[in-house]
């Protein structure tokens, strides 16, 4: 959604991490990661900062996430 422009991050997210926070690894396919990283860099930030902002908004209940799956499940 971020890469497609249907999700936006407003303001300037902080590049500083809260004290005591570590890193969380989240596997993303290259087809998702690479365009999102390019979009973040074009906006003057990093994908890590965008992810932090999106997670913070989700926790504050200022954004909702809807996942839609397509295809056929294995029987």
């Amino acid at each position: 959604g971020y890469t497609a422009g249907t999700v936006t991050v407003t303001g300037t997210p902080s590049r500083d991490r809260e004290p005591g926070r570590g890193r969380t690894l989240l596997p993303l396919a290259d087809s998702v990661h690479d365009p999102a990283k390019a979009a973040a860099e074009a906006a003057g930030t990093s994908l890590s900062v965008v992810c932090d902002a999106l997670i913070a908004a989700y926790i504050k209940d200022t954004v909702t996430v809807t996942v839609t799956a397509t295809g056929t499940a294995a029987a």
Side-chain angles (χ1 to χ4, degrees):
Y2 175 75
T3 303
T6 58
V7 173
T8 58
V9 176
T10 58
T12 305
S14 172
R15 289 186 169 269
D16 298 326
R17 296 192 183 275
E18 294 179 17
R21 265 197 35 209
R23 292 186 175 262
T24 300
L25 298 178
L26 177 66
L28 294 173
D30 289 345
S31 62
V32 174
H33 176 271
D34 295 346
K37 180 180 176 192
E41 289 173 353
T45 191
S46 70
L47 184 54
S48 177
V49 170
V50 169
C51 289
D52 280 356
L54 292 172
I55 292 167
Y58 178 75
I59 290 168
K60 293 176 185 174
D61 202 24
T62 57
V63 67
T64 58
V65 177
T66 302
V67 178
T68 304
T70 59
T72 305

